[in-house]
C-alpha cells in the first residue's frame, strides 16, 4: 500500500504568534514570529506521508496566480505528485491568516470564495480509478461543493474498487449538519477522524464514548476521535482502545496537529500495523507537530516519530 491519494485543500498560511486575544483593542501588537508557510489539511497530510517515504498524490484546486505557483513549487520540493492538481484561473489560491495565542490555540481568517472552497465532485471523480489503495479526504466540510450528495457519489465510486480504503478527516461543520444527515455516506467510510469538538457538533453530545459509538452505529468501520492532550479513542464494532498522547510539555502551535495525526495513522496503516499501533504512531506524529510554529515544521523525520511511538506504546501498556 505504498501509493496514497489525498484529496482536499492546499493553501498558503501567514502565521503570527504569539498573539494576545485583545489584539483589536490595541493600535499595534507584536509577535515573536511572523512568517509565510503552507497548509491545508490535504497538503499537510501529503507532506508528512511523503516525508515518511510514501508515494503520495494530491487532488486539490489552485488559482492561476503567484500563490498557486508557490504551492506547486512546495509540492515539487516535497516529492508530492501534483499531476492531478486543478488550476483554475477563475479563483484565487487560498491564503489564510493564522493567529496563534500564547497557549498554542489558533484562529483563522479565510476567504470563502478562494480555491479551498471551490473543489467539487467533477474534480475528483475523474481520478478515482487511478487513485491509491488508500484514499484520504482530508477536510470534510471545507468545500461547500462537496455536500452530502457529492460525497455519496464520490465515496460510492471509490468503494467500487476492491481493496480501496477510504479515510475521512474533518473540520467543524458550520452549516448545521447533524449525524443523521450523513447516514448515506458514513457506511462507505473505513476510518473517520474527527476531533472531540467536531463530532460533538454533529451529535449534540459531549460524551466522547457515546459519540464514537454513534459513528460506528451509523456505519463507519472505525471511529478515531482525536482528543488533544488526552490522546484519542478508537472504536469499531469489535474493539475499542484509548491511545495516550505523547507527554510533551512544549506546545507552541496546534496548527496542523490533527493533519499530522491523520498522516501518521495512514502511514502505519499502509505498513500493515495493528489499529492500536496506528493510533500510537499517529499520537507520536501529532506531538512533534505542536512543538514548532507551522503545520508540518515540527515533524522532521520518521526516526523521531518512531522513537516517540515506543514511548506512547509503553504508556498505553502501563495504563492497561
Amino acid at each position: 500500500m505504498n501509493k496514497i491519494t489525498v484529496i482536499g485543500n492546499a493553501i498558503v498560511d501567514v502565521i503570527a504568534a504569539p498573539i494576545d486575544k485583545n489584539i483589536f483593542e490595541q493600535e499595534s501588537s507584536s509577535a515573536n514570529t511572523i512568517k509565510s508557510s503552507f497548509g491545508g489539511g490535504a497538503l499537510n497530510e501529503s507532506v508528512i506521508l511523503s516525508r515518511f517515504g510514501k508515494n503520495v498524490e494530491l487532488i486539490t484546486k489552485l488559482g492561476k496566480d503567484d500563490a498557486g505557483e508557490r504551492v506547486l513549487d512546495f509540492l515539487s520540493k516535497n516529492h508530492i505528485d501534483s499531476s492531478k492538481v486543478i488550476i483554475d484561473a477563475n479563483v484565487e489560491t487560498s491564503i489564510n491568516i493564522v493567529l496563534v495565542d500564547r497557549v498554542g490555540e489558533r484562529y483563522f481568517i479565510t476567504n470563502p470564495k478562494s480555491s479551498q472552497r471551490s473543489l467539487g465532485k467533477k474534480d475528483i471523480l475523474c481520478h478515482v480509478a487511478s487513485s491509491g489503495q488508500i484514499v484520504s479526504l482530508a477536510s470534510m466540510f471545507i468545500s461547500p461543493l462537496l455536500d452530502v450528495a457529492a460525497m455519496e457519489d464520490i465515496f460510492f465510486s471509490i468503494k467500487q474498487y476492491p481493496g480501496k480504503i477510504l479515510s475521512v478527516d474533518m473540520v467543524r461543520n458550520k452549516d448545521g449538519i447533524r449525524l443523521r444527515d450523513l447516514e448515506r455516506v458514513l457506511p462507505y467510510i473505513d476510518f473517520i477522524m474527527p476531533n472531540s469538538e467536531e463530532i460533538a457538533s454533529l451529535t449534540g453530545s459531549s460524551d466522547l464514548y457515546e459519540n464514537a459509538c454513534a459513528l460506528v452505529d451509523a456505519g463507519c468501520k472505525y471511529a478515531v476521535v482525536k482528543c488533544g492532550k488526552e490522546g484519542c479513542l478508537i472504536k469499531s464494532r469489535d474493539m475499542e482502545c484509548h491511545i495516550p498522547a505523547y507527554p510533551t510539555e512544549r506546545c507552541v502551535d496546534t496548527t496542523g496537529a490533527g493533519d499530522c495525526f491523520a498522516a501518521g495513522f495512514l502511514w502505519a496503516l499502509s505498513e500493515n500495523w495493528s489499529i492500536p499501533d496506528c493510533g500510537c504512531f499517529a499520537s507520536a506524529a501529532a506531538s512533534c507537530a505542536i512543538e514548532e510554529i507551522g503545520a508540518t515544521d515540527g515533524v522532521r523525520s520518521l526516526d523521531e516519530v518512531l522513537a516517540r511511538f515506543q514511548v506512547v506504546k509503553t504508556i498505553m501498556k502501563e495504563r492497561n
Side-chain angles (χ1 to χ4, degrees):
M1 291 194 288
N2 194 48
K3 180 180 177 181
I4 300 175
T5 300
V6 184
I7 304 167
N9 54 335
I11 66 177
V12 175
D13 281 334
V14 179
I15 305 170
I19 295 294
D20 290 323
K21 290 188 177 181
N22 63 349
I23 181 174
F24 292 110
E25 299 174 7
Q26 306 173 103
E27 181 180 351
S28 176
S29 297
S30 62
N32 294 336
T33 299
I34 301 175
K35 71 175 186 177
S36 176
S37 184
F38 298 92
L43 180 144
N44 294 338
E45 282 189 28
S46 298
V47 167
I48 299 305
L49 286 164
S50 178
R51 198 168 289 169
F52 290 168
K54 292 299 173 181
N55 175 14
V56 187
E57 64 176 7
L58 176 63
I59 300 175
T60 191
K61 179 172 284 189
L62 300 171
K64 191 175 182 179
D65 49 26
D66 179 66
E69 289 294 331
R70 291 180 59 203
V71 172
L72 287 172
D73 182 61
F74 182 76
L75 296 176
S76 176
K77 289 178 178 177
N78 281 276
H79 311 292
I80 297 163
D81 182 352
S82 61
S83 62
K84 296 177 182 177
V85 173
I86 301 98
I87 306 299
D88 188 342
N90 295 314
V91 300
E92 294 180 359
T93 300
S94 295
I95 301 176
N96 287 359
I97 297 174
V98 186
L99 305 179
V100 184
D101 68 17
R102 296 189 180 278
V103 295
E105 291 300 323
R106 72 273 194 228
Y107 304 86
F108 297 94
I109 302 173
T110 66
N111 177 357
K113 297 180 181 180
S114 61
S115 59
Q116 70 174 345
R117 314 287 190 199
S118 304
L119 187 68
K121 180 174 70 172
K122 65 180 178 62
D123 302 317
I124 299 167
L125 281 179
C126 57
H127 299 303
V128 166
S130 60
S131 61
Q133 190 172 352
I134 295 177
V135 181
S136 172
L137 177 63
S139 299
M140 189 182 202
F141 305 130
I142 199 72
S143 174
L145 299 181
L146 296 179
D147 58 13
V148 175
M151 286 191 289
E152 182 180 15
D153 289 344
I154 294 166
F155 295 173
F156 173 82
S157 181
I158 290 169
K159 297 303 287 184
Q160 295 311 294
Y161 294 87
K164 283 193 187 292
I165 296 170
L166 175 60
S167 172
V168 176
D169 203 352
M170 285 177 56
V171 297
R172 189 167 183 172
N173 94 85
K174 300 175 182 178
D175 298 320
I177 294 174
R178 306 293 283 185
L179 192 62
R180 62 180 175 270
D181 300 317
L182 299 174
E183 290 177 350
R184 298 177 345 212
V185 303
L186 294 176
Y188 295 115
I189 299 174
D190 295 294
F191 297 90
I192 190 165
M193 302 186 193
N195 66 31
S196 54
E197 292 182 356
E198 290 161 356
I199 181 56
S201 73
L202 294 178
T203 65
S205 170
S206 60
D207 187 292
L208 182 66
Y209 183 79
E210 180 182 290
N211 286 340
C213 289
L215 287 169
V216 174
D217 290 343
C220 293
K221 189 173 181 181
Y222 289 94
V224 184
V225 184
K226 299 170 284 189
C227 311
K229 63 182 180 181
E230 302 302 322
C232 76
L233 169 64
I234 305 177
K235 183 77 176 73
S236 72
R237 292 194 182 278
D238 303 321
M239 61 87 72
E240 67 178 78
C241 60
H242 295 259
I243 307 295
Y246 178 84
T248 180
E249 296 182 358
R250 175 179 165 81
C251 179
V252 298
D253 182 9
T254 58
T255 304
D259 304 327
C260 293
F261 177 100
F265 194 99
L266 295 180
W267 179 87
L269 186 68
S270 73
E271 294 289 310
N272 297 310
W273 287 18
S274 71
I275 298 303
D277 280 358
C278 289
C280 290
F281 187 83
S283 180
S287 74
C288 294
I290 66 174
E291 293 181 348
E292 299 291 340
I293 294 175
T296 60
D297 291 359
V299 187
R300 287 176 285 269
S301 72
L302 178 59
D303 287 343
E304 180 182 15
V305 180
L306 285 170
R308 293 190 181 204
F309 158 74
Q310 294 294 341
V311 173
V312 175
K313 193 169 180 178
T314 298
I315 295 172
M316 186 174 73
K317 286 181 178 179
E318 290 174 348
R319 290 182 180 178
N320 294 333

